[in-house]
Amino acid sequence: MSEILFTHPNYTPENGSLVSVDETGALKTILTIIPLTYRIGEETVIARLTCGFATTPDANPRAAAAVFLSTRPKSDNILFTDSGAPIGIAHFKAIGGIELQVQALRWYKMFRPLPALISFLRIKLFDRFARLISRGQLPDNSLAKNVTTADGYSVAEATPAVFAEYATRYLARYVVAPVYDEAYVTWAVNASAGDDGRGKLMLAQVRDKNGNVVGVFSVVGEMGGSAHILDLLYEDNAQGAVVDAALLALERSGFTYACSQARPEIIRSLSRYSRIWYRYFTGISATPAPPRSRRRWRAAGPITADWVEKAGHV
């Protein structure tokens, strides 16, 4: 927890996580935040990625609300989610958000249908019967070697420096995009490593038959043998080949299925496959800056290293 909360290259107490504590100093509510760098046009800004909200049963409701409401956008920023669960969308509406008439889908590509179905059902049943059913095993944290498609496109692991360089190049076509830097990517890989149930972030590069890098992707192996693709970026006119190479590499690596959020521009390439299905994932909401006359809440303050040991109470 200390590593995730305090070691990101962008971290400062002002843009970090927020907590509420009771009169004894015990931690009661926490809103975990990762400060990421984004580009809007030519301007670089720090975006606060909220990762989780947790509170103890005996927490003061007003204090918990103050922590969440502290994220209300001010006059020069905006609050946005493209992965809001129903309760998250409700929180957004509580601070003036608007649920957009666009819904997020997640696509699934089955490599081994029966094991994939068993893994998917096991994860769902684990949420209800955690004492009776395990979530399964984490897959091996490595990609298969010497993977080459019929068209001559090959896949190999990428270093954080290579991934950051090409991801930044492929994201240049977007007006708003995250900024990938070697230091940020290295931090994410290191923070995801460990034997505590988290899948390690894996980075890969796709090369054409001439050895030129034409795409990169990142993936996390999740419980039950699934591969969750986080980034899938490619050079112009290489989308189909990069998708083919990425899916082949994940299948050869032993995953039962792959999944990711469905970006509209990639559906064309996915539609060429069988055993592809889509599932409603989350809602999308945006919260504009409130009028200056609205009341401002104040949270207890940014989280400090002194409270890390109390995190077990959350």
Side-chain angles (χ1 to χ4, degrees), residues 18 31 48 65-74 297-299:
L18 295 170
L31 180 65
R48 303 173 72 202
V67 170
F68 185 82
L69 290 172
S70 66
T71 62
R72 176 181 290 174
K74 300 177 176 60
W297 289 81
R298 293 188 64 187

Side-chain angles (χ1 to χ4, degrees), residues 18-72:
L18 295 170
V19 299
S20 71
V21 297
D22 62 16
E23 61 277 1
T24 68
L27 183 63
K28 293 298 181 180
T29 305
I30 181 171
L31 180 65
T32 55
I33 295 173
I34 304 278
L36 301 180
T37 304
Y38 264 75
R39 174 185 53 78
I40 302 177
E42 299 299 325
E43 182 182 0
T44 300
V45 300
I46 298 297
R48 303 173 72 202
L49 175 65
T50 56
C51 303
F53 178 77
T55 185
T56 59
D58 61 341
N60 185 311
R62 290 180 61 84
V67 170
F68 185 82
L69 290 172
S70 66
T71 62
R72 176 181 290 174

Side-chain angles (χ1 to χ4, degrees), residues 297-312:
W297 289 81
R298 293 188 64 187
I303 190 170
T304 66
D306 296 337
W307 288 322
V308 172
E309 295 182 359
K310 300 184 178 72

Side-chain angles (χ1 to χ4, degrees), residues 202-271:
M202 295 177 285
L203 311 175
Q205 56 184 316
V206 178
R207 294 180 177 271
D208 63 15
K209 57 186 178 183
N210 297 318
N212 302 314
V213 177
V214 294
V216 293
F217 64 94
S218 62
V219 62
V220 171
E222 297 181 336
M223 293 289 187
S226 64
H228 186 181
I229 299 174
L230 303 179
D231 290 292
L232 184 55
L233 305 170
Y234 41 81
E235 198 171 83
D236 290 339
N237 303 319
Q239 179 192 106
V242 171
V243 170
D244 292 344
L247 293 179
L248 179 63
L250 296 176
E251 182 178 9
R252 295 274 182 86
S253 300
F255 293 101
T256 59
Y257 66 93
C259 63
S260 184
Q261 282 188 263
R263 301 193 340 248
E265 67 268 24
I266 208 172
I267 292 179
R268 175 171 52 86
S269 294
L270 294 174
S271 65

Side-chain angles (χ1 to χ4, degrees), residues 11-250:
Y11 170 77
T12 67
E14 291 72 27
N15 65 26
S17 299
L18 295 170
V19 299
S20 71
V21 297
D22 62 16
E23 61 277 1
T24 68
L27 183 63
K28 293 298 181 180
T29 305
I30 181 171
L31 180 65
T32 55
I33 295 173
I34 304 278
L36 301 180
T37 304
Y38 264 75
R39 174 185 53 78
I40 302 177
E42 299 299 325
E43 182 182 0
T44 300
V45 300
I46 298 297
R48 303 173 72 202
L49 175 65
T50 56
C51 303
F53 178 77
T55 185
T56 59
D58 61 341
N60 185 311
R62 290 180 61 84
V67 170
F68 185 82
L69 290 172
S70 66
T71 62
R72 176 181 290 174
K74 300 177 176 60
S75 59
D76 59 348
N77 55 27
I78 189 172
L79 194 63
F80 179 82
T81 176
D82 65 350
S83 57
I87 186 64
I89 295 296
H91 286 161
F92 268 68
K93 289 181 177 179
I95 57 176
I98 301 170
E99 185 173 5
L100 305 183
Q101 297 303 310
V102 180
Q103 303 300 321
L105 296 176
R106 177 173 285 182
W107 60 264
Y108 295 80
K109 171 66 175 84
M110 301 300 168
F111 301 132
R112 293 181 288 165
L114 184 58
L117 178 61
I118 293 173
S119 298
F120 184 80
L121 292 176
R122 170 186 279 178
I123 293 174
K124 291 301 179 183
L125 291 173
F126 173 81
D127 295 335
R128 293 175 175 264
F129 309 104
R131 295 183 179 181
L132 302 177
I133 301 174
S134 69
R135 294 183 62 187
Q137 298 293 321
L138 274 173
D140 182 33
N141 290 324
S142 61
L143 289 171
K145 299 183 183 300
N146 302 319
V147 175
T148 304
T149 68
D151 296 331
Y153 289 80
S154 59
V155 177
E157 292 192 12
T159 63
V162 169
F163 185 89
E165 176 186 351
Y166 285 94
T168 299
R169 181 182 304 180
Y170 302 142
L171 289 170
R173 64 172 71 100
Y174 298 99
V175 176
V176 179
V179 174
Y180 285 89
D181 178 90
E182 180 180 0
Y184 304 155
V185 178
T186 299
W187 178 89
V189 172
N190 293 338
S192 69
D195 299 324
D196 55 357
R198 296 174 292 173
K200 182 180 179 181
L201 178 64
M202 295 177 285
L203 311 175
Q205 56 184 316
V206 178
R207 294 180 177 271
D208 63 15
K209 57 186 178 183
N210 297 318
N212 302 314
V213 177
V214 294
V216 293
F217 64 94
S218 62
V219 62
V220 171
E222 297 181 336
M223 293 289 187
S226 64
H228 186 181
I229 299 174
L230 303 179
D231 290 292
L232 184 55
L233 305 170
Y234 41 81
E235 198 171 83
D236 290 339
N237 303 319
Q239 179 192 106
V242 171
V243 170
D244 292 344
L247 293 179
L248 179 63
L250 296 176

